[in-house]
Amino acid sequence: MLLITGASGGIGFELFKKLSIKNDVIAISNRKKIENNARGICVNVNLLNHNEIDQLISKYGKTFDEITVLNLAVQSFDGLLANYPIEKVRETFELNLISNLYLLQGLLPIMLNQKWGRIIHFSSIVGNEGAKGAGIYAASKSALIGYSKTLSKEYGRFGITSNIIELGYFEKGLIENFNKEKIKNIISNTSSRRLGVTDDIIHAIKFIQKSDFYNGEILKLNGGK
């Protein structure tokens, strides 16, 4: 069973479509409604509302078996740090980190009972290196590192792993906001001379699913820099 947050985003939606062909998938979306697909169902949940997370666990928890959580839900507001509204800082951390933790607090008892679980957080090259106007987003993603490593140390002995997939530039997602010249420059500075595709991420997910010895790590999926 896969649980995908942020399933209406560019990369999240592509993963939902492909993974649900052969896997049971629950896709979480908030602002945008998406249709069920093959073995996948979409549920509308506002991750900023903890009561809605509780309702999700209550409704579907008994069907969860060998859970892989793909945490793709993300929020980012562009703005220089000196002028960044504090309420936007709180909202960004609430979605990018706190909702992630609250969801896992509901899922961990199920994982512990089954002695198996895969927690996969998603970050990005911007989250690691920072970028002008994306400081709070980068800060929230940097916080994932200590959080994920702590999860790995607390629950690894129970067959539950926690890792981060750090994405470079892919054909879907952030790249869709760039002009052709910037995309061309990105590709020319990537060793693989191409943008990433959804299958690259699926291969990484399958590797993490199959290994209980890969734990507390950051898997950089960027085509080589």
Side-chain angles (χ1 to χ4, degrees):
M1 165 69 71
L2 291 107
L3 183 66
I4 304 176
T5 70
S8 62
I11 290 176
F13 183 59
E14 291 299 314
L15 286 173
F16 171 59
K17 287 195 301 182
K18 289 203 169 189
L19 289 170
S20 61
I21 293 173
K22 295 183 178 180
N23 303 274
D24 294 325
V25 180
I26 292 180
I28 295 175
S29 175
N30 177 25
R31 296 175 182 172
K32 182 180 178 182
K33 180 177 176 56
I34 59 177
E35 299 298 326
N36 296 343
N37 182 70
R39 291 169 60 181
I41 62 171
C42 179
V43 295
N44 185 261
V45 176
N46 178 4
L47 293 172
L48 296 176
N49 186 325
H50 293 177
N51 288 332
E52 293 191 23
I53 295 176
D54 291 338
Q55 291 169 11
L56 172 76
I57 302 296
S58 176
K59 183 174 181 179
Y60 295 101
K62 292 181 180 179
T63 68
F64 292 163
D65 182 44
E66 294 194 343
I67 309 166
T68 295
V69 184
L70 306 180
N71 283 311
L72 285 134
V74 66
Q75 183 157 283
S76 177
F77 298 96
D78 290 337
L80 297 177
L81 291 176
N83 305 317
Y84 212 91
I86 291 300
E87 63 270 17
K88 294 299 184 184
V89 176
R90 294 192 182 99
E91 193 172 327
T92 299
F93 271 83
E94 179 69 39
L95 181 63
N96 296 0
L97 185 66
I98 297 173
S99 70
N100 181 319
L101 172 60
Y102 192 82
L103 175 63
L104 280 177
Q105 287 178 333
L107 295 175
L108 278 168
I110 301 172
M111 294 179 177
L112 287 167
N113 184 57
Q114 297 177 355
K115 294 183 171 55
W116 199 94
R118 297 291 180 264
I119 304 163
I120 304 177
H121 316 276
F122 282 79
S123 187
S124 69
I125 192 169
V126 173
N128 178 47
E129 298 182 358
K132 293 178 181 178
I136 301 304
Y137 163 81
S140 69
K141 288 301 184 181
S142 295
L144 280 177
I145 298 173
Y147 166 49
S148 179
K149 286 185 176 292
T150 300
L151 282 171
S152 73
K153 295 178 186 299
E154 291 182 348
Y155 298 102
R157 65 186 184 275
F158 301 109
I160 301 167
T161 66
S162 177
N163 294 284
I164 297 172
I165 295 180
E166 182 187 294
L167 301 178
Y169 292 100
F170 280 70
E171 290 182 352
K172 296 290 184 179
L174 179 65
I175 200 80
E176 294 172 299
N177 299 317
F178 295 168
N179 60 46
K180 291 182 179 180
E181 188 62 29
K182 186 169 184 177
I183 294 173
K184 182 179 178 181
N185 289 336
I186 288 171
I187 293 172
S188 66
N189 288 315
T190 301
S191 300
S192 299
R193 293 296 190 271
R194 68 174 177 87
L195 298 173
V197 296
T198 309
D199 282 347
D200 296 319
I201 302 175
I202 291 175
H203 294 325
I205 292 169
K206 288 182 177 179
F207 162 70
I208 292 173
Q209 285 180 312
K210 291 178 180 178
S211 176
D212 61 4
F213 202 60
Y214 189 79
N215 197 12
E217 299 299 329
I218 303 173
L219 193 160
K220 295 180 180 290
L221 197 62
N222 56 29
K225 296 174 60 181

